[in-house]
Amino acid sequence: MDTIFGFRWRIADYSEILIALLVVVVAIAFFILLRYNQHLKNKKIQAEQLFLFKIKQLGLTNFQVKILDGIIHTLNLADAGLILEDPGLFESAIARFLAYLKSRGEKVDSLSSICRDLIITYEKLYNHSTFKTPLQSIQEMEAGLLLYITTSTNCTFIGKISTIEEGKLTLAIFRSARDINIPEEADADAFIWRTGDAEYSFKTRILSVTGNTVTILLPEEFSRGKEVRHPYIDTIIPCTISPAPSAQAEASKTGKSDGEPLSAVIHKIHQDELIVRTSRKLDYRQSYIISFVMSDFKMRITAVVIADRTIQEENVLYLTFRYTEISEAARSILRTYIQDHL
């Protein structure tokens, strides 16, 4: 084709036009796939962040999050959120996870520690509760609880309570008992953890082993260990805050006495800390006596300031105190109050 510039412009044939169109289509398709891939990555990141937020809300520690992450990888789950909906997925991974740990030659103490966090993770995920009444008898345990057992022959395994009968407890384990080599008539230590309550342990004995079922002795005696930390309770309790005697003496020497006790209101409280609403800052380096009445009992708690937050518009200061000294009677009253108001 002749042009006005005096040279001829070559006219492409049909095959060349098709090749050009194909290149354009491939470039557009590549761009669309690239954008779609980025969209999928963003969705995956959002799903992971939401999953992490959910499990943190359930109170999992960093180590328990790592254990859960290991179980998810063991199951090859495309969507990690599925494990929150189906306890069977978690249970199906326990056997493989423990078999992997044993194949690595983990010691008994290490296995026991991991088993402890495994059952705590399970209970937090599927049996979460703000408060449960403490056990008066070990027979009051609920069916469906996980517990781990370490025998006198250093055999460690996890079981799920299926039935509780007079004098014995039947467990469903997640592998054949013969594969784990659970010995009959062996003495053992058992550990359980109840959400909203505390951890419990007791001495027991393996009574019988059949397939995936293990029967153990149900003892009369048990130990109640560390209590589960309860959340803050909202309150409106008037209180007074005054320097502890040692802080008062130091202030008198330096001539910087705080004078009259400071009036405040307890805004939130739990078994180890409380938050008060007041109008004056306090010294982080001093100890204070917080006095108030709870359930007709005069509470007197020694505490230190660990955090503060100011709301400028209302000219209100929120101080967080951690207890450093509290009597057993006061702690008992406080524990009962929190349980009653959960």
Side-chain angles (χ1 to χ4, degrees), residues 35-323:
R35 292 296 300 272
Y36 182 66
N37 182 57
Q38 187 61 46
H39 172 70
L40 291 179
K41 282 184 178 179
N42 290 339
K43 282 188 68 175
K44 184 178 180 181
I45 291 171
Q46 290 172 353
E48 289 174 350
Q49 289 175 338
L50 178 61
F51 176 73
L52 187 61
F53 174 74
K54 285 181 177 179
I55 61 178
K56 282 293 187 181
Q57 272 194 319
L58 294 173
L60 268 66
T61 65
N62 291 334
F63 183 60
Q64 290 160 7
V65 170
K66 289 179 181 178
I67 287 178
L68 184 59
D69 187 56
I71 287 177
I72 290 167
H73 280 86
T74 300
L75 294 169
N76 292 319
L77 292 179
D79 181 6
L82 292 174
I83 203 166
L84 299 178
E85 303 167 7
D86 186 2
L89 288 173
F90 192 104
E91 294 170 12
S92 67
I94 288 177
R96 280 182 280 172
F97 192 64
L98 291 180
Y100 166 72
L101 292 174
K102 289 181 180 179
S103 69
R104 289 186 52 187
E106 293 288 342
K107 295 181 179 179
V108 176
D109 290 344
S110 177
L111 272 175
S112 296
S113 177
I114 293 171
C115 285
R116 178 182 181 276
D117 276 289
L118 264 173
I119 66 173
I120 292 176
T121 302
Y122 181 90
E123 295 301 321
K124 285 181 178 180
L125 291 179
Y126 307 114
N127 295 322
H128 45 85
S129 173
T130 307
F131 171 71
K132 285 182 182 176
T133 303
L135 298 178
Q136 301 301 316
S137 165
I138 205 69
Q139 286 188 316
E140 295 176 0
M141 289 188 298
E142 309 92 335
L145 275 176
L146 293 193
L147 74 165
Y148 83 80
I149 292 177
T150 302
T151 69
S152 55
T153 58
N154 292 333
C155 174
T156 302
F157 63 94
I158 293 176
K160 186 176 184 179
I161 299 175
S162 53
T163 58
I164 303 172
E165 303 174 56
E166 189 67 33
K168 63 181 182 180
L169 192 67
T170 304
L171 308 174
I173 59 175
F174 306 109
R175 288 175 67 196
S176 169
R178 299 301 176 187
D179 293 340
I180 310 175
N181 295 320
I182 301 174
E184 293 188 4
E185 297 302 321
D187 293 329
D189 295 306
F191 174 93
I192 62 172
W193 191 87
R194 299 175 77 228
T195 53
D197 181 15
E199 57 187 41
Y200 295 85
S201 59
F202 55 90
K203 300 286 185 182
T204 184
R205 189 173 75 253
I206 307 295
L207 298 178
S208 65
V209 179
T210 309
N212 289 62
T213 301
V214 175
T215 304
I216 65 172
L217 177 69
L218 195 62
E220 293 293 331
E221 296 182 357
F222 63 94
S223 298
R224 186 172 188 265
K226 185 179 179 182
E227 290 187 351
V228 176
R229 177 186 169 105
H230 294 304
Y232 277 109
I233 301 299
D234 292 328
T235 62
I236 307 176
I237 301 176
C239 69
T240 57
I241 304 172
S242 54
S246 57
Q248 252 179 344
E250 186 66 27
S252 297
K253 289 179 183 179
T254 58
K256 296 180 180 179
S257 176
D258 288 335
E260 294 296 321
L262 175 65
S263 295
V265 173
I266 299 176
H267 176 61
K268 291 178 182 288
I269 193 168
H270 73 58
Q271 56 201 24
D272 299 310
E273 297 172 3
L274 57 79
I275 299 174
V276 302
R277 188 170 63 242
T278 183
S279 57
R280 195 175 81 199
K281 282 193 173 186
L282 295 176
D283 193 340
Y284 277 83
R285 297 167 296 178
Q286 289 190 9
S287 296
Y288 294 91
I289 302 293
I290 304 174
S291 304
F292 57 97
V293 176
M294 176 177 282
S295 302
D296 297 325
F297 184 86
K298 291 183 179 180
M299 306 282 284
R300 185 178 169 86
I301 298 173
T302 305
V304 293
V305 180
I306 60 171
D308 63 61
R309 178 171 62 92
T310 305
I311 299 180
Q312 299 290 350
E313 296 81 4
E314 301 175 15
N315 195 27
V316 173
L317 182 68
Y318 289 89
L319 299 175
T320 302
F321 287 87
R322 177 168 293 162
Y323 314 147

Side-chain angles (χ1 to χ4, degrees), residues 230-231 233 269-271 334-342:
H230 294 304
I233 301 299
I269 193 168
H270 73 58
Q271 56 201 24
L334 180 57
R335 186 184 300 115
T336 302
Y337 180 88
I338 291 172
Q339 291 173 357
D340 291 343
H341 290 79
L342 283 172

